[in-house]
Short mmCIF file of all heavy atoms in Angstrom, two decimals:
data_model
loop_
_atom_site.label_atom_id
_atom_site.label_comp_id
_atom_site.label_asym_id
_atom_site.label_seq_id
_atom_site.Cartn_x
_atom_site.Cartn_y
_atom_site.Cartn_z
N PHE A 54 94.04 81.76 72.24
CA PHE A 54 93.45 82.67 71.25
C PHE A 54 92.05 82.20 70.85
O PHE A 54 91.16 83.02 70.64
CB PHE A 54 94.34 82.80 70.01
CG PHE A 54 95.51 83.72 70.17
CD1 PHE A 54 96.80 83.27 69.91
CD2 PHE A 54 95.34 85.04 70.54
CE1 PHE A 54 97.89 84.11 70.05
CE2 PHE A 54 96.42 85.90 70.68
CZ PHE A 54 97.71 85.43 70.44
N LYS A 55 91.86 80.90 70.74
CA LYS A 55 90.55 80.38 70.36
C LYS A 55 89.48 80.74 71.38
O LYS A 55 88.31 80.90 71.04
CB LYS A 55 90.61 78.86 70.17
CG LYS A 55 91.32 78.46 68.91
CD LYS A 55 91.37 76.95 68.74
CE LYS A 55 92.05 76.58 67.42
NZ LYS A 55 92.09 75.11 67.24
N LYS A 56 89.85 80.90 72.62
CA LYS A 56 88.89 81.23 73.68
C LYS A 56 88.37 82.67 73.56
O LYS A 56 87.33 82.99 74.13
CB LYS A 56 89.53 81.02 75.06
CG LYS A 56 89.83 79.58 75.36
CD LYS A 56 90.51 79.44 76.70
CE LYS A 56 90.92 78.00 76.98
NZ LYS A 56 91.66 77.91 78.26
N VAL A 57 89.07 83.52 72.84
CA VAL A 57 88.63 84.91 72.69
C VAL A 57 87.24 84.97 72.07
O VAL A 57 86.42 85.81 72.42
CB VAL A 57 89.66 85.72 71.86
CG1 VAL A 57 89.13 87.10 71.52
CG2 VAL A 57 90.99 85.81 72.60
N ARG A 58 86.96 84.04 71.15
CA ARG A 58 85.65 84.01 70.48
C ARG A 58 84.49 83.76 71.43
O ARG A 58 83.34 84.02 71.09
CB ARG A 58 85.63 82.91 69.42
CG ARG A 58 86.58 83.14 68.31
CD ARG A 58 86.42 82.03 67.26
NE ARG A 58 87.73 81.74 66.72
CZ ARG A 58 88.22 80.54 66.51
NH1 ARG A 58 87.50 79.48 66.75
NH2 ARG A 58 89.42 80.38 66.01
N ASN A 59 84.77 83.24 72.62
CA ASN A 59 83.72 82.92 73.58
C ASN A 59 83.10 84.14 74.23
O ASN A 59 82.10 84.03 74.93
CB ASN A 59 84.26 81.98 74.67
CG ASN A 59 84.69 80.65 74.13
OD1 ASN A 59 84.23 80.20 73.08
ND2 ASN A 59 85.60 80.00 74.83
N PHE A 60 83.70 85.30 74.00
CA PHE A 60 83.20 86.53 74.62
C PHE A 60 82.32 87.28 73.63
O PHE A 60 82.81 87.76 72.61
CB PHE A 60 84.37 87.41 75.08
CG PHE A 60 85.19 86.77 76.17
CD1 PHE A 60 86.28 85.98 75.85
CD2 PHE A 60 84.85 86.95 77.50
CE1 PHE A 60 87.04 85.38 76.84
CE2 PHE A 60 85.60 86.35 78.50
CZ PHE A 60 86.69 85.57 78.17
N PRO A 61 81.01 87.35 73.91
CA PRO A 61 80.10 88.03 72.99
C PRO A 61 80.50 89.49 72.80
O PRO A 61 80.85 90.19 73.74
CB PRO A 61 78.74 87.93 73.68
CG PRO A 61 78.89 86.93 74.77
CD PRO A 61 80.35 86.86 75.10
N GLY A 62 80.48 89.93 71.55
CA GLY A 62 80.75 91.32 71.24
C GLY A 62 82.21 91.72 71.34
O GLY A 62 82.51 92.91 71.36
N THR A 63 83.10 90.74 71.41
CA THR A 63 84.52 91.09 71.53
C THR A 63 85.01 91.83 70.29
O THR A 63 84.53 91.59 69.18
CB THR A 63 85.39 89.83 71.76
OG1 THR A 63 86.74 90.26 71.92
CG2 THR A 63 85.30 88.86 70.61
N ASP A 64 85.94 92.72 70.51
CA ASP A 64 86.56 93.41 69.38
C ASP A 64 87.95 92.84 69.10
O ASP A 64 88.70 93.40 68.32
CB ASP A 64 86.63 94.92 69.63
CG ASP A 64 87.50 95.28 70.82
OD1 ASP A 64 87.87 94.39 71.60
OD2 ASP A 64 87.83 96.46 70.96
N LYS A 65 88.26 91.72 69.73
CA LYS A 65 89.57 91.09 69.57
C LYS A 65 89.50 89.79 68.76
O LYS A 65 90.50 89.09 68.64
CB LYS A 65 90.19 90.77 70.93
CG LYS A 65 90.54 91.99 71.74
CD LYS A 65 91.54 92.82 71.00
CE LYS A 65 92.71 93.21 71.83
NZ LYS A 65 93.64 94.04 71.08
N ASP A 66 88.35 89.48 68.18
CA ASP A 66 88.21 88.20 67.48
C ASP A 66 89.07 88.14 66.22
O ASP A 66 89.70 87.12 65.94
CB ASP A 66 86.75 87.85 67.18
CG ASP A 66 85.97 88.99 66.57
OD1 ASP A 66 86.49 90.11 66.46
OD2 ASP A 66 84.82 88.75 66.18
N ASP A 67 89.14 89.23 65.46
CA ASP A 67 89.98 89.19 64.26
C ASP A 67 91.46 89.17 64.63
O ASP A 67 92.26 88.47 64.00
CB ASP A 67 89.65 90.33 63.29
CG ASP A 67 89.85 91.72 63.84
OD1 ASP A 67 89.79 91.90 65.08
OD2 ASP A 67 90.05 92.65 63.03
N ASP A 68 91.82 89.89 65.69
CA ASP A 68 93.20 89.86 66.18
C ASP A 68 93.60 88.44 66.55
O ASP A 68 94.68 87.96 66.20
CB ASP A 68 93.36 90.74 67.42
CG ASP A 68 92.93 92.17 67.23
OD1 ASP A 68 91.72 92.39 67.04
OD2 ASP A 68 93.78 93.06 67.28
N ALA A 69 92.71 87.77 67.28
CA ALA A 69 92.98 86.41 67.73
C ALA A 69 93.09 85.45 66.54
O ALA A 69 93.99 84.61 66.50
CB ALA A 69 91.89 85.94 68.70
N GLN A 70 92.22 85.60 65.56
CA GLN A 70 92.27 84.72 64.39
C GLN A 70 93.58 84.93 63.62
O GLN A 70 94.20 83.97 63.17
CB GLN A 70 91.07 84.97 63.46
CG GLN A 70 91.01 84.03 62.28
CD GLN A 70 90.85 82.58 62.68
OE1 GLN A 70 90.13 82.26 63.61
NE2 GLN A 70 91.53 81.69 61.98
N LEU A 71 94.01 86.17 63.50
CA LEU A 71 95.30 86.45 62.87
C LEU A 71 96.43 85.73 63.60
O LEU A 71 97.26 85.07 62.99
CB LEU A 71 95.56 87.96 62.87
CG LEU A 71 96.97 88.40 62.47
CD1 LEU A 71 97.26 88.06 61.01
CD2 LEU A 71 97.16 89.87 62.74
N LYS A 72 96.42 85.83 64.93
CA LYS A 72 97.51 85.24 65.71
C LYS A 72 97.46 83.72 65.71
O LYS A 72 98.50 83.07 65.85
CB LYS A 72 97.49 85.79 67.13
CG LYS A 72 97.83 87.26 67.22
CD LYS A 72 99.15 87.62 66.52
CE LYS A 72 100.34 87.43 67.34
NZ LYS A 72 101.02 88.59 67.85
N ILE A 73 96.29 83.14 65.53
CA ILE A 73 96.21 81.68 65.38
C ILE A 73 96.97 81.28 64.12
O ILE A 73 97.80 80.36 64.14
CB ILE A 73 94.75 81.20 65.35
CG1 ILE A 73 94.10 81.38 66.73
CG2 ILE A 73 94.66 79.74 64.89
CD1 ILE A 73 92.60 81.19 66.75
N GLY A 74 96.71 81.97 63.03
CA GLY A 74 97.43 81.69 61.80
C GLY A 74 98.92 81.92 61.95
O GLY A 74 99.74 81.11 61.50
N MET A 75 99.30 83.01 62.60
CA MET A 75 100.72 83.31 62.80
C MET A 75 101.39 82.27 63.70
O MET A 75 102.56 81.94 63.50
CB MET A 75 100.88 84.70 63.41
CG MET A 75 100.35 85.83 62.54
SD MET A 75 101.16 85.97 60.95
CE MET A 75 102.64 86.82 61.43
N SER A 76 100.65 81.75 64.66
CA SER A 76 101.19 80.71 65.53
C SER A 76 101.50 79.45 64.73
O SER A 76 102.59 78.86 64.87
CB SER A 76 100.21 80.38 66.66
OG SER A 76 100.03 81.48 67.51
N TYR A 77 100.56 79.04 63.89
CA TYR A 77 100.82 77.87 63.04
C TYR A 77 102.00 78.12 62.12
O TYR A 77 102.84 77.24 61.91
CB TYR A 77 99.58 77.49 62.23
CG TYR A 77 98.56 76.71 63.00
CD1 TYR A 77 97.28 77.22 63.21
CD2 TYR A 77 98.85 75.46 63.51
CE1 TYR A 77 96.33 76.50 63.92
CE2 TYR A 77 97.91 74.73 64.22
CZ TYR A 77 96.65 75.26 64.42
OH TYR A 77 95.72 74.54 65.13
N LEU A 78 102.08 79.29 61.57
CA LEU A 78 103.20 79.64 60.69
C LEU A 78 104.52 79.58 61.46
O LEU A 78 105.52 79.05 60.94
CB LEU A 78 102.98 81.03 60.11
CG LEU A 78 103.82 81.43 58.91
CD1 LEU A 78 103.68 80.44 57.77
CD2 LEU A 78 103.43 82.82 58.45
N SER A 79 104.53 80.06 62.68
CA SER A 79 105.74 80.02 63.50
C SER A 79 106.16 78.60 63.83
O SER A 79 107.34 78.34 64.06
CB SER A 79 105.52 80.80 64.80
OG SER A 79 105.33 82.17 64.51
N MET A 80 105.21 77.67 63.86
CA MET A 80 105.52 76.26 64.09
C MET A 80 105.84 75.54 62.78
O MET A 80 106.02 74.33 62.77
CB MET A 80 104.35 75.56 64.79
CG MET A 80 104.11 76.05 66.20
SD MET A 80 102.87 75.09 67.11
CE MET A 80 101.41 75.26 66.11
N ASN A 81 105.87 76.30 61.68
CA ASN A 81 106.13 75.76 60.34
C ASN A 81 105.04 74.77 59.89
O ASN A 81 105.31 73.87 59.11
CB ASN A 81 107.53 75.13 60.27
CG ASN A 81 108.06 75.15 58.85
OD1 ASN A 81 107.76 76.06 58.08
ND2 ASN A 81 108.84 74.14 58.50
N LYS A 82 103.83 74.96 60.39
CA LYS A 82 102.68 74.17 59.96
C LYS A 82 101.93 75.00 58.92
O LYS A 82 100.91 75.61 59.21
CB LYS A 82 101.80 73.81 61.15
CG LYS A 82 102.48 72.88 62.12
CD LYS A 82 101.53 72.42 63.19
CE LYS A 82 102.18 71.34 64.03
NZ LYS A 82 101.22 70.69 64.92
N LYS A 83 102.48 75.00 57.72
CA LYS A 83 102.01 75.92 56.69
C LYS A 83 100.59 75.62 56.22
O LYS A 83 99.83 76.55 55.95
CB LYS A 83 102.98 75.91 55.52
CG LYS A 83 104.31 76.50 55.91
CD LYS A 83 105.30 76.44 54.79
CE LYS A 83 106.63 77.00 55.30
NZ LYS A 83 107.73 76.65 54.45
N GLU A 84 100.22 74.35 56.13
CA GLU A 84 98.84 74.03 55.71
C GLU A 84 97.83 74.53 56.74
O GLU A 84 96.79 75.09 56.37
CB GLU A 84 98.69 72.53 55.49
CG GLU A 84 99.37 72.04 54.23
CD GLU A 84 99.14 70.55 54.00
OE1 GLU A 84 98.17 69.99 54.52
OE2 GLU A 84 99.97 69.96 53.28
N ASP A 85 98.14 74.33 58.01
CA ASP A 85 97.24 74.82 59.07
C ASP A 85 97.19 76.35 59.06
O ASP A 85 96.12 76.93 59.23
CB ASP A 85 97.70 74.32 60.44
CG ASP A 85 97.52 72.82 60.61
OD1 ASP A 85 96.54 72.27 60.06
OD2 ASP A 85 98.36 72.20 61.29
N ALA A 86 98.35 76.97 58.87
CA ALA A 86 98.39 78.44 58.81
C ALA A 86 97.55 78.94 57.65
O ALA A 86 96.76 79.88 57.80
CB ALA A 86 99.84 78.92 58.68
N GLN A 87 97.72 78.31 56.50
CA GLN A 87 96.96 78.70 55.31
C GLN A 87 95.47 78.57 55.56
O GLN A 87 94.68 79.46 55.21
CB GLN A 87 97.40 77.83 54.13
CG GLN A 87 96.89 78.30 52.81
CD GLN A 87 97.54 77.53 51.66
OE1 GLN A 87 98.12 76.47 51.85
NE2 GLN A 87 97.45 78.07 50.47
N GLU A 88 95.07 77.48 56.19
CA GLU A 88 93.65 77.26 56.50
C GLU A 88 93.12 78.37 57.43
O GLU A 88 92.03 78.90 57.22
CB GLU A 88 93.48 75.89 57.15
CG GLU A 88 92.07 75.55 57.52
CD GLU A 88 91.97 74.19 58.21
OE1 GLU A 88 92.66 73.25 57.76
OE2 GLU A 88 91.22 74.09 59.19
N GLN A 89 93.90 78.72 58.44
CA GLN A 89 93.46 79.74 59.39
C GLN A 89 93.44 81.13 58.76
O GLN A 89 92.55 81.93 59.04
CB GLN A 89 94.36 79.72 60.63
CG GLN A 89 94.22 78.45 61.45
CD GLN A 89 92.81 78.19 61.91
OE1 GLN A 89 92.10 79.09 62.37
NE2 GLN A 89 92.37 76.95 61.80
N PHE A 90 94.40 81.41 57.90
CA PHE A 90 94.40 82.70 57.20
C PHE A 90 93.22 82.80 56.24
O PHE A 90 92.60 83.86 56.14
CB PHE A 90 95.71 82.92 56.45
CG PHE A 90 96.89 83.18 57.35
CD1 PHE A 90 98.14 82.64 57.05
CD2 PHE A 90 96.78 83.98 58.48
CE1 PHE A 90 99.25 82.90 57.85
CE2 PHE A 90 97.88 84.25 59.29
CZ PHE A 90 99.12 83.70 58.97
N GLN A 91 92.89 81.70 55.57
CA GLN A 91 91.74 81.73 54.67
C GLN A 91 90.44 81.92 55.47
O GLN A 91 89.56 82.68 55.06
CB GLN A 91 91.66 80.45 53.83
CG GLN A 91 90.59 80.51 52.76
CD GLN A 91 90.77 81.70 51.83
OE1 GLN A 91 91.83 81.86 51.22
NE2 GLN A 91 89.75 82.54 51.71
N LYS A 92 90.37 81.26 56.61
CA LYS A 92 89.21 81.44 57.50
C LYS A 92 89.11 82.91 57.90
O LYS A 92 88.02 83.48 57.94
CB LYS A 92 89.35 80.55 58.73
CG LYS A 92 88.22 80.66 59.71
CD LYS A 92 88.41 79.70 60.87
CE LYS A 92 87.29 79.84 61.88
NZ LYS A 92 87.46 78.91 63.00
N PHE A 93 90.25 83.52 58.20
CA PHE A 93 90.28 84.94 58.55
C PHE A 93 89.65 85.77 57.44
O PHE A 93 88.78 86.60 57.69
CB PHE A 93 91.73 85.40 58.80
CG PHE A 93 91.83 86.85 59.14
CD1 PHE A 93 91.94 87.25 60.45
CD2 PHE A 93 91.81 87.82 58.15
CE1 PHE A 93 92.02 88.60 60.77
CE2 PHE A 93 91.89 89.17 58.47
CZ PHE A 93 91.99 89.56 59.78
N LEU A 94 90.10 85.54 56.20
CA LEU A 94 89.58 86.32 55.07
C LEU A 94 88.09 86.09 54.86
O LEU A 94 87.36 87.01 54.48
CB LEU A 94 90.36 85.99 53.80
CG LEU A 94 91.82 86.44 53.78
CD1 LEU A 94 92.50 85.94 52.53
CD2 LEU A 94 91.93 87.95 53.91
N ASP A 95 87.63 84.87 55.11
CA ASP A 95 86.21 84.54 54.94
C ASP A 95 85.34 85.24 55.99
O ASP A 95 84.25 85.71 55.69
CB ASP A 95 85.99 83.03 55.02
CG ASP A 95 86.60 82.27 53.86
OD1 ASP A 95 86.94 82.90 52.82
OD2 ASP A 95 86.77 81.05 53.99
#
Side-chain angles (χ1 to χ4, degrees):
F54 280 125
K55 287 180 178 180
K56 293 178 185 177
V57 171
R58 295 183 216 136
N59 296 336
F60 295 91
T63 182
D64 63 347
K65 293 300 230 181
D66 48 353
D67 61 335
D68 304 66
Q70 184 63 39
L71 169 66
K72 292 307 275 253
I73 291 169
M75 298 299 280
S76 295
Y77 280 117
L78 195 56
S79 295
M80 294 188 300
N81 206 32
K82 293 187 172 191
K83 293 177 183 164
E84 287 183 23
D85 291 325
Q87 191 171 17
E88 180 182 319
Q89 293 303 316
F90 289 141
Q91 188 57 56
K92 180 178 178 180
F93 179 98
L94 293 175
D95 293 344

